[in-house]
Amino acid sequence: MRWLVGLLLISAAVLKAVQLISEPATAHLSALGPYFPPIQIGAELAIGLLVMTGAYWRAVRWLVLGLFLIFAGYSASLALQGAISCGCFGQMRVHPWWTFGLDLFVTLGIVCSILFERRTIKNDSETADRSISKPVVAAPWVVWLVVGVGLASAALLLRHVNQGVAGATDSNASAGLIVLDPEKWVGRKLPIADAIDVDLLRGEWTVLLHRHDCPVCREEIPRFVERAAAGERVALVEVPPYGSVEPGSDKCVRARLSDAHEWFVHTPVEIHLRDGEVTAAKMIGD
């Protein structure tokens, strides 16, 4: 069981790290914030390595037990929500019910091993000494070593995410991905104004950031067209990659966000401008 636990944790950490390296934007999909995935990967790697060494296994297995109980609860929650993948193994899609079963198997296995060991110790201490698996190594420096590996991994991944991703107000023009958080722009000049192919810096505007492949965006665009027909100045700003133009949207100003960068933003987003200053912004549907 110890080897299975170690291999599962290390494999999960490596696969998630590969995804994070190739797609830094995935860090921003985490409900716990962009720093959580690198920290999670570092922790899983460190615990997996510690488990594989067998050092202090009697104490570590309680940590592993709690960890896999959390994993099982998370997988069950995703499965009940209808998710098609738990995200536990990076880009490898595994249905949450499968991971729930695996987590439950590991949990029950650890519980059974604890109960069996206690029963053996109670019946025959000599047999217990032979039955308990001996650790490969058991020294404090082993713990510090695996903790160091975990911290170094998390730090490197955080650095990679920060180098590959920039905020809209950052000066890191070399970043491959720019993350937009319009709700933090209120009271400031529109930071992406120069990246939009129409002038939105004069007068009052209602701006809709949308994508062609966003179902909610397609539902919202007709509503903004109606607002434009009623006299409101509306600009429909499409986030790349570009797609087909929605019918009837000629009543609005059509605009595009430059494809010189890759943009990460939860669409649709409604933004209100007055002479280029953001007076209000919200993600529709939140």
Side-chain angles (χ1 to χ4, degrees):
M1 180 57 65
R2 179 168 62 82
W3 288 98
L4 174 62
V5 170
L7 288 173
L8 281 174
L9 289 172
I10 293 173
S11 298
V14 170
L15 289 172
K16 283 198 281 281
V18 169
Q19 181 184 28
L20 196 61
I21 291 171
S22 60
E23 301 175 8
T26 56
H28 294 267
L29 297 176
S30 172
L32 299 177
Y35 295 123
F36 178 74
I39 294 173
Q40 179 189 12
I41 291 169
E44 287 184 355
L45 181 61
I47 296 173
L49 290 173
L50 185 60
V51 169
M52 292 291 282
T53 66
Y56 309 105
W57 170 239
R58 290 187 184 180
V60 172
R61 65 185 173 185
W62 289 101
L63 171 63
V64 173
L65 179 61
L67 195 62
F68 274 85
L69 281 173
I70 295 173
F71 288 166
Y74 178 70
S75 296
S77 174
L78 289 178
L80 293 173
Q81 293 174 21
I84 61 174
S85 177
C86 65
C88 308
F89 299 97
Q91 295 173 323
M92 183 185 298
R93 288 191 175 184
V94 181
H95 197 279
W97 281 127
W98 284 103
T99 54
F100 172 75
L102 181 60
D103 297 334
L104 197 59
F105 172 77
V106 171
T107 300
L108 292 175
I110 295 175
V111 170
C112 288
S113 70
I114 294 173
L115 294 177
F116 175 76
E117 179 181 313
R118 288 184 175 181
R119 181 179 179 183
T120 305
I121 292 174
K122 182 178 180 180
N123 293 337
D124 188 346
S125 59
E126 183 179 349
T127 304
D129 290 338
R130 292 196 302 265
S131 64
I132 298 171
S133 59
K134 301 298 182 181
V136 178
V137 286
W141 65 265
V142 176
V143 177
W144 289 110
L145 179 62
V146 296
V147 169
V149 170
L151 290 174
S153 301
L156 289 173
L157 288 172
L158 281 170
R159 181 180 179 184
H160 174 75
V161 169
N162 290 333
Q163 285 182 338
V165 179
T169 57
D170 292 344
S171 59
N172 187 4
S174 62
L177 177 72
I178 296 181
V179 177
L180 306 183
D181 193 354
E183 293 179 339
K184 295 182 179 179
W185 300 346
V186 176
R188 301 162 57 184
K189 288 291 184 180
L190 182 66
I192 58 173
D194 292 340
I196 300 176
D197 59 3
V198 298
D199 184 7
L200 300 177
L201 299 179
R202 299 178 183 178
E204 296 190 5
W205 287 93
T206 298
V207 178
L208 177 69
L209 294 181
H210 68 96
R211 296 182 187 273
H212 77 279
D213 56 354
C214 167
V216 180
C217 296
R218 289 196 292 268
E219 295 176 1
E220 291 296 326
I221 285 177
R223 298 188 179 98
F224 280 78
V225 171
E226 292 177 1
R227 291 166 63 172
E232 194 171 343
R233 294 181 73 188
V234 176
L236 303 179
V237 179
E238 185 176 11
V239 181
Y242 310 128
S244 58
V245 178
E246 294 292 330
S249 58
D250 56 324
K251 296 181 181 179
C252 305
V253 173
R254 299 288 306 189
R256 285 178 169 179
L257 197 58
S258 170
D259 59 0
H261 291 283
E262 183 181 356
W263 308 90
F264 180 83
V265 58
H266 290 285
T267 55
V269 180
E270 180 178 352
I271 303 172
H272 294 270
L273 302 175
R274 181 180 295 115
D275 292 328
E277 183 178 309
V278 178
T279 58
K282 67 175 181 178
M283 289 185 285
I284 299 175
D286 278 9

